[in-house]
Amino acid sequence: MIVVNDIHKSFGDSEILKGISTTFEKGKTNLIIGQSGSGKTVFLKCLLGLFEPEQGIISYDGRDYSSLTGDEKRDLRQEMGMVFQGSALFDSMTVEGNVMFPLEMFTKQSKSEMQERVDIVLKRVNLIDAHNKFPAEISGGMQKRVAIARAIVMNPKYLFCDEPNSGLDPKTAILIDNLIQEITEEYDITTVINTHDMNSVMEIGQKILFLKNGLKEWEGTNKEIFKTDNAAVTDFVYSSELFKKVRQMYIEERN
Ligand SMILES: Nc1ncnc2c1ncn2[C@@H]1O[C@H](COP(=O)(O)OP(=O)(O)OP(=O)(O)O)[C@@H](O)[C@H]1O
Ligand SMILES: [Mg+2]
């Protein structure tokens, strides 16, 4: 579980995160939504330890990041997996090379141990024939699977994903979302996902944090988000015609 207490993060004179508090539970897919520029990526980078907030506490299963020693911070970072927007695979490495990379960087495992682990995670993301292919030779959906395999190869306690299904068609996007949710439950990971995608909200929004202008505007579940009267949330959620109709149906049902 990650507990966030009153996080502030500024760049120069502009305060981007203005005091966010929330909790992200283990074994759950926690989503962060909000308009472009609301601070989702900055917040995720704070959770990853890439940005250090000026104020506030982020605590990982009881470990307050700011009070850890350098070694403890490094150990904690190795418990984190990440999937960046656009997969961020190394083009010059094969699928296998990409997934093995964190093991080569951070462990002293033998080649055969690493190979065994790579085979397990590639199988877990349903990629069995792609070991020797290069990223350019596989589809966008497969690239995301490779990125997920790489993110979980070190057996992380925490998984952070920034727009993991951007650029995918809606069906493939849902497959990727479901894969992330299954893995989260199976390995009891605390997963935090930034997304724009209302399909993701509906499918895997076990906990949703809605950011607006660097503040927590609302939080709840996917069941609750379609019922809330919070105007900022409904504006965001029902910005598409389809969702406006869904909301209308809810309102009619209620009355
Ligand atoms: N390294 C940085 N230096 C200065 N300002 C930054 C930096 N990173 C982000 N910002 C600013 O912080 C604000 C929030 O950006 P952020 O990337 O977190 O938005 P976002 O919610 O992830 O948007 P999107 O949905 O488009 O990805 C923006 O105004 C951005 O310009
Ligand atoms: Mg972003």
Side-chain angles (χ1 to χ4, degrees):
M1 177 157 114
I2 301 175
V3 179
V4 179
N5 190 8
D6 197 27
I7 284 301
H8 292 254
K9 175 69 194 161
S10 303
F11 295 105
D13 289 341
S14 62
E15 193 175 37
I16 305 299
L17 304 181
K18 301 170 184 165
I20 297 175
S21 300
T22 191
T23 55
F24 300 117
E25 278 175 41
K26 221 182 189 180
K28 275 196 183 174
T29 41
N30 300 277
L31 304 191
I32 303 174
I33 62 170
Q35 266 157 19
S36 193
S38 56
K40 301 183 297 296
T41 296
V42 170
F43 187 46
L44 204 69
K45 285 185 175 170
C46 289
L47 295 175
L48 273 159
L50 297 175
F51 288 153
E52 217 152 316
E54 297 87 45
Q55 195 185 317
I57 291 171
I58 307 180
S59 166
Y60 304 80
D61 294 298
R63 294 168 290 177
D64 167 5
Y65 189 82
S66 63
S67 65
L68 298 180
T69 64
D71 281 354
E72 287 167 338
K73 282 182 181 166
R74 198 203 51 217
D75 290 347
L76 174 56
R77 281 213 206 94
Q78 288 187 20
E79 296 174 10
M80 300 176 179
M82 51 192 128
V83 177
F84 284 116
Q85 196 169 353
S87 303
L89 299 176
F90 303 114
D91 291 335
S92 61
M93 287 184 191
T94 61
V95 163
E96 191 174 275
N98 267 281
V99 177
M100 202 175 280
F101 185 77
L103 297 176
E104 286 172 334
M105 277 291 281
F106 301 114
T107 75
K108 294 190 171 69
Q109 292 180 11
S110 69
K111 184 80 187 169
S112 67
E113 283 170 317
M114 289 195 278
Q115 188 66 55
E116 198 179 323
R117 180 69 188 150
V118 168
D119 291 345
I120 289 170
V121 290
L122 280 174
K123 194 162 171 229
R124 182 61 195 84
V125 300
N126 303 318
L127 278 179
I128 24 182
D129 299 323
H131 285 57
N132 298 315
K133 294 213 162 82
F134 287 92
E137 298 172 322
I138 59 177
S139 70
M142 289 166 86
Q143 289 175 11
K144 299 286 180 182
R145 288 174 192 277
V146 178
I148 294 168
R150 185 175 62 185
I152 62 169
V153 75
M154 297 271 288
N155 223 341
K157 286 200 178 107
Y158 315 98
L159 179 62
F160 302 105
C161 311
D162 202 353
E163 312 268 354
N165 57 22
S166 66
L168 299 178
D169 65 83
K171 248 184 170 164
T172 308
I174 287 173
L175 288 177
I176 293 296
D177 280 346
N178 288 338
L179 178 64
I180 294 173
Q181 180 165 48
E182 284 162 22
I183 286 172
T184 296
E185 280 176 16
E186 202 173 308
Y187 303 116
D188 211 17
I189 303 174
T190 305
T191 296
V192 183
I193 304 169
N194 280 354
T195 186
H196 272 118
D197 187 351
M198 286 310 299
N199 279 325
S200 304
V201 168
M202 287 170 72
E203 287 281 324
I204 60 163
Q206 292 176 312
K207 151 104 184 226
I208 301 154
L209 174 69
F210 179 81
L211 292 190
K212 191 183 172 196
N213 298 326
L215 282 167
K216 176 173 81 180
E217 174 74 27
W218 182 88
E219 65 187 336
T221 67
N222 53 0
K223 297 214 169 64
E224 291 159 355
I225 199 167
F226 296 103
K227 295 179 188 165
T228 179
D229 291 323
N230 181 307
V233 178
T234 53
D235 263 10
F236 180 82
V237 170
Y238 299 104
S239 54
S240 87
E241 285 305 313
L242 171 65
F243 284 110
K244 273 190 196 127
K245 285 179 190 149
V246 174
R247 175 156 176 82
Q248 197 54 41
M249 277 166 55
Y250 256 116
I251 291 169
E252 280 165 15
E253 209 176 289
R254 243 194 291 180
N255 297 334

